[in-house]
Amino acid sequence: MTSHPGRSREQPPRLHWGEIDPLKRGPIIGTVTNLAHRNVIGTHSGSYSVYRALAVASGALHPNHRADLTNTAPVVEIGPHPSWADPNRIVSLDPFGGMVGDVYTDLYEQGYDIRPTIAVTQAHVNLPEIQEAIQKNRLSVDGKIVKPNGSLVVTKVAIDPVWYLPGIAHRLNVEEGELRRALFQQTGGMFPELVTRPDLQVFLPPIGGITAYLIGDVDAITDPNRQLAVRVHDECNGSDVFGSDICTCRPYLVHGLEVCVQTAQAGGAGVLVYFRKEGRALGEVTKFLVYNARKRQEGGDSADAYFNRTECVAGAPDMRFQELMPDVLHWLGITRIDSFVSMSDMKYNAITSSGIEIVKRIPIPDDLIPEDAMVEIAAKQAAGYYTETTAPDAVKLATIKGRSLL
């Protein structure tokens, strides 16, 4: 069985990745309302595609439903930027994914079920740490970015993954055929077109996407005369949402947001990008198994067991592949980051090697590091995650806070 039957006389629109004209590039069609129209492997909505299947199976959703895109267009205009025309600069998302309702109107009216993979809206966010920053005069209420009630005005961007397989392979320095075979085999043969349809070069993987929070004037993001602060953050549900103190994830997330607000209030802009890569892309089950293994070892949790136990359980200490991370920055048209709120060399190297200049790196303040996170800091220092100039002195901090890392 295959979702791309070969007997159909109707040919789907061709894709020419890297074309700056969206009509020449062609639409991404991953819907199943008309199998002959599909020109990609997989289907829309990333990890939520399975829930859509459940809705169809249960009768809650008609399988041929077509989205009514009236009034769903982005609230601000983003792009096109020169990076959109580089087939190697953006390989993991569709740069035209937020404007399909406008640029592919004629095709949609002809019956092609084309759906957005990017949505842009505006909202208010309210975090207790931001309230505290206002109380301590680190942030001021300006009525435009920071409201009197302490909430922040942000532009939010949701992005579903769209993988251009030749570009992904090039970015990871592997052969495209090997990449396709690994994706096919390691998903249990879920997508046979990966090996049977080499003519299909785009894959919609069933994984989590990206949310970007833009603070301040969006035009300032690409203005070389205005400052830009950026925090790229990988998901950590336990800390980000529930405040677990075993790591620095939420403190760094909120600190990054604060720096973004400060930069925006000074006339620049801030960009906070949130990636769904729970547990260094190993997953939360693996993360919790490792927590147990670290804490139950003789002598208790220690820095030397931090990555060792992860590798014992998962086979690798980190599967995030930051090589794909800069794509969203290129989609936003970023060419220079004045303040990069991160200690990670992996993130720094991925961004700078993609052609984006980073002027200054901002580490997390020592007083924001939870006591139990000292092990994480020391382990990442030992593993080479941080340079000496960006990493805090974990041993010194642990001594101050009365914690042994050994």
Side-chain angles (χ1 to χ4, degrees), residues 246 248 294 302-307 343 369 371-386 391-398 403-406:
I246 199 172
T248 59
R294 284 166 47 194
S302 64
D304 58 355
Y306 188 89
F307 288 111
M343 296 184 293
I369 301 176
E371 179 181 325
D372 280 354
M374 293 298 118
V375 171
E376 175 202 24
I377 295 294
K380 287 185 175 180
Q381 278 185 268
Y385 271 59
Y386 308 143
D393 188 334
V395 175
K396 178 180 178 181
L397 285 172
R403 175 67 183 268
S404 173
L405 302 178
L406 304 178

Side-chain angles (χ1 to χ4, degrees), residues 112 159 173 196 223 280 368:
Y112 289 92
I159 303 174
N173 197 28
T196 64
D223 188 339
R280 298 196 293 279
L368 293 183

Side-chain angles (χ1 to χ4, degrees), residues 245-266:
D245 64 354
I246 199 172
C247 63
T248 59
C249 294
R250 181 180 173 99
Y252 221 151
L253 174 67
V254 178
H255 178 60
L257 183 59
E258 184 176 326
V259 173
C260 286
V261 174
Q262 291 170 340
T263 305
Q265 288 187 321

Side-chain angles (χ1 to χ4, degrees), residues 261-275:
V261 174
Q262 291 170 340
T263 305
Q265 288 187 321
V271 173
L272 192 151
V273 188
Y274 195 87
F275 293 85

Side-chain angles (χ1 to χ4, degrees), residues 75-95:
V75 296
V76 297
E77 186 175 314
I78 297 176
H81 297 293
S83 54
W84 295 20
D86 187 335
N88 291 315
R89 191 75 72 182
I90 298 177
V91 300
S92 62
L93 60 88
D94 175 16

Side-chain angles (χ1 to χ4, degrees), residues 61 99 118 140 278 296 358 387:
L61 174 65
M99 54 179 67
I118 297 177
S140 60
E278 177 64 59
R296 286 171 174 164
I358 292 178
T387 61

Side-chain angles (χ1 to χ4, degrees), residues 74-251:
V75 296
V76 297
E77 186 175 314
I78 297 176
H81 297 293
S83 54
W84 295 20
D86 187 335
N88 291 315
R89 191 75 72 182
I90 298 177
V91 300
S92 62
L93 60 88
D94 175 16
F96 301 104
M99 54 179 67
V100 300
D102 293 328
V103 298
Y104 299 124
T105 301
D106 290 345
L107 288 173
Y108 192 83
E109 291 176 350
Q110 292 173 35
Y112 289 92
D113 190 359
I114 307 166
R115 305 196 182 182
T117 57
I118 297 177
V120 185
T121 190
Q122 287 183 328
H124 293 79
V125 297
N126 201 319
L127 299 172
E129 291 92 340
I130 296 299
Q131 300 279 358
E132 180 183 354
I134 295 172
Q135 294 171 4
K136 294 184 177 180
N137 297 318
R138 296 198 305 269
L139 294 177
S140 60
V141 174
D142 56 25
K144 184 178 180 180
I145 297 173
V146 181
K147 291 294 189 177
N149 66 353
S151 63
L152 305 178
V153 178
V154 300
T155 298
K156 295 199 299 186
V157 183
I159 303 174
D160 280 341
V162 178
W163 286 6
Y164 174 57
L165 293 174
I168 296 282
H170 177 75
R171 190 78 61 83
L172 300 182
N173 197 28
V174 299
E175 294 294 328
E176 182 184 344
E178 181 60 32
L179 172 66
R180 286 173 172 264
R181 281 192 296 273
L183 288 170
F184 171 70
Q185 293 169 351
Q186 297 305 314
T187 57
M190 189 184 301
F191 302 99
E193 295 88 359
L194 287 166
V195 292
T196 64
R197 295 293 303 272
D199 57 308
L200 296 176
Q201 296 185 315
V202 174
F203 175 41
L204 307 184
I207 60 174
I210 302 167
T211 307
Y213 292 82
L214 316 180
I215 298 98
D217 183 3
V218 173
D219 290 337
I221 294 174
T222 55
D223 188 339
N225 298 313
R226 301 164 78 176
Q227 294 283 301
L228 176 66
V230 171
R231 165 69 183 169
V232 289
H233 189 92
D234 294 319
E235 178 181 23
C236 177
N237 182 69
S239 178
D240 297 343
V241 179
F242 294 100
S244 170
D245 64 354
I246 199 172
C247 63
T248 59
C249 294
R250 181 180 173 99

